[in-house]
């Protein structure tokens, strides 16, 4: 026998183990949806305005939590519940749009989600106090209501859209951790509308795989063009709100352009035609660029921290 053969076999085994570990790390990272990190960070930083980023370890701790452990919970449970539909989704298996796990990975994901939450529950209990238990309870209720088999709101329009207001829990957590006052109700309403129109856009991109798997969403129920018009209506309301309540012409203009874009999309550009994977990637990169710009603008101006009085409201 060739004496080098066992060495080669051992080397191959080590190399295979390294590839498996790397593949598992990629999967776990994809579960947390890095493509949505900028939007989540925008929500987390919104209550903070011109925060001192360099000398606030609690700020960074909370930011890390909402990006990875929170995303790991929200989207991990979603990946487990949507395993069948995701097999037909060309967006999945990427950092932008989320994981495409094998059956054994999804089974193991359940305990990994729980394991990641426990240290932060303990740390936040020390930093925030017992009220953080209510925050985690609200989070778990929202996740359960959305993903429950058969009765989950994700398959019952329009509740699949309305439940997205639960993302406002990020506002609450940020204010508690960083000891700043809660945002005004106008900002909460703006954040809820923003989360809802963002979700509908995701449903439009997922229409084909959702229909193939038999899943009912607002987008599959009313169609692509009406869904885009609903997004335009949401954006129009957000535009008016920002102008009257916060007087920020930059955000007002950006939202106004978004309204015009979806109207053009519905009536002139794509209409009912599905987006290609390349187009969806471009949309997501543009979305992330806009979110990063929003973070910088919020830090520079902080216009949504204080609402103006509007007579009659």
């Amino acid at each position: 026998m060739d004496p080098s053969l066992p060495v080669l076999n051992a080397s191959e085994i080590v190399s295979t183990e390294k590839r498996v570990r790397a593949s598992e790390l990629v999967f776990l990272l994809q579960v947390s949806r890095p493509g949505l990190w900028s939007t989540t960070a925008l929500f987390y930083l919104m209550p903070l305005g011109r925060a001192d980023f360099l000398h606030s370890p609690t700020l960074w701790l909370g930011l890390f939590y909402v990006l990875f452990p929170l995303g790991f919970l929200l989207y991990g449970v979603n990946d487990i519940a949507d395993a069948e539909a995701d097999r037909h989704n060309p967006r999945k298996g990427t950092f932008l749009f989320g994981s495409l796990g094998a059956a054994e990975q999804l089974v193991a994901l359940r305990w990994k989600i729980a394991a990641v939450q426990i240290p932060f529950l303990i740390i936040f209990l020390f930093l925030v106090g017992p009220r953080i238990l209510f925050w985690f309870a609200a989070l778990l209720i929202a996740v359960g209501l959305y993903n429950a088999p058969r009765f989950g709101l994700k398959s019952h329009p329009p509740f699949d859209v309305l439940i997205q207001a639960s993302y406002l829990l990020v506002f609450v957590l940020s204010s508690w951790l960083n000891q700043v006052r809660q945002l005004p109700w106008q900002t909460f309403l703006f954040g809820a509308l923003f989360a809802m129109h963002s979700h509908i856009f995701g449903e439009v991109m997922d229409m084909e795989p959702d229909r193939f798997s038999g899943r009912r969403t607002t987008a599959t129920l009313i169609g692509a063009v009406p869904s885009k018009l609903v997004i335009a209506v949401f954006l129009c309301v957000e535009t008016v709100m920002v102008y009257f309540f916060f007087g920020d012409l930059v955000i007002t203009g950006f939202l106004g352009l978004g309204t015009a874009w979806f109207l053009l999309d519905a009536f002139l550009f794509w209409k009912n035609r599905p987006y290609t994977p390349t187009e969806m990637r471009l949309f997501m990169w543009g979305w992330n660029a806009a979110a990063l710009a929003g973070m910088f603008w919020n830090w520079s101006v902080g216009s949504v921290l204080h609402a103006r009085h509007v007579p009659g409201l």
Side-chain angles (χ1 to χ4, degrees), residues 161 195 212 224 237:
V161 176
F212 188 87
V237 173

Side-chain angles (χ1 to χ4, degrees), residues 188-259:
F188 270 80
L189 179 57
F190 168 75
L193 295 174
F194 188 92
M196 291 177 194
H197 90 241
S198 303
H199 182 77
I200 298 174
F201 186 44
E203 288 188 348
V204 171
M205 289 192 283
D206 280 342
M207 280 185 63
E208 296 304 312
D210 284 343
R211 282 174 172 163
F212 188 87
S213 64
R215 177 182 167 190
R216 293 177 76 246
T217 67
T218 295
T220 61
L221 182 65
I222 66 177
V225 170
S227 296
K228 294 169 184 177
L229 295 180
V230 170
I231 295 173
V233 170
F234 271 93
L235 283 164
C236 184
V237 173
E238 294 165 35
T239 302
V240 173
M241 282 189 62
V242 170
Y243 178 76
F244 282 103
F245 286 121
F246 306 112
D248 192 315
L249 297 181
V250 171
I251 300 178
T252 298
F254 175 78
L255 294 171
L257 289 174
T259 304

Side-chain angles (χ1 to χ4, degrees), residues 54-219:
L54 298 179
H55 304 92
S56 180
T58 302
L59 185 155
W60 288 101
L61 176 69
L63 181 59
F64 174 77
Y65 174 75
V66 299
L67 294 186
F68 184 75
L70 178 60
F72 200 61
L73 168 63
L74 296 178
Y75 305 119
V77 174
N78 187 71
D79 286 348
I80 294 169
D82 284 352
E84 181 60 32
D86 286 349
R87 292 192 184 98
H88 310 289
N89 193 332
R91 295 198 301 155
K92 295 299 183 178
T94 65
F95 289 105
L96 276 179
F97 297 108
S99 66
L100 183 62
E104 60 272 15
Q105 288 178 308
L106 294 176
V107 170
L109 187 59
R110 291 174 170 84
W111 69 262
K112 292 177 181 177
I113 290 172
V116 169
Q117 303 306 310
I118 292 172
F120 288 91
L121 171 60
I122 296 171
I123 295 171
F124 291 166
L125 187 61
F126 174 77
L127 293 174
V128 175
R131 60 182 173 173
I132 198 64
L133 298 176
F134 294 100
W135 188 90
F136 273 98
L139 174 65
L140 294 177
I141 289 171
V143 171
L145 287 174
Y146 185 67
N147 292 286
R150 295 182 58 188
F151 303 107
L153 299 183
K154 68 192 313 175
S155 298
H156 291 81
F159 301 107
D160 58 328
V161 176
L162 297 176
I163 191 65
Q164 302 309 312
S166 58
Y167 275 93
L168 297 178
L169 286 169
V170 176
F171 284 173
V172 177
L173 178 66
S174 178
S175 295
W176 285 355
L177 280 178
N178 297 286
Q179 299 181 12
V180 298
R181 67 179 182 177
Q182 295 293 333
L183 292 165
W185 68 263
Q186 295 93 335
T187 308
F188 270 80
L189 179 57
F190 168 75
L193 295 174
F194 188 92
M196 291 177 194
H197 90 241
S198 303
H199 182 77
I200 298 174
F201 186 44
E203 288 188 348
V204 171
M205 289 192 283
D206 280 342
M207 280 185 63
E208 296 304 312
D210 284 343
R211 282 174 172 163
F212 188 87
S213 64
R215 177 182 167 190
R216 293 177 76 246
T217 67
T218 295

Side-chain angles (χ1 to χ4, degrees), residues 260-281:
W261 170 263
F262 279 101
L263 289 174
L264 291 171
D265 185 340
F267 292 122
L268 184 61
F269 296 151
W270 282 270
K271 301 180 184 178
N272 280 307
R273 179 172 64 83
Y275 303 124
T276 67
T278 299
E279 290 167 345
M280 288 188 281
R281 285 193 295 271

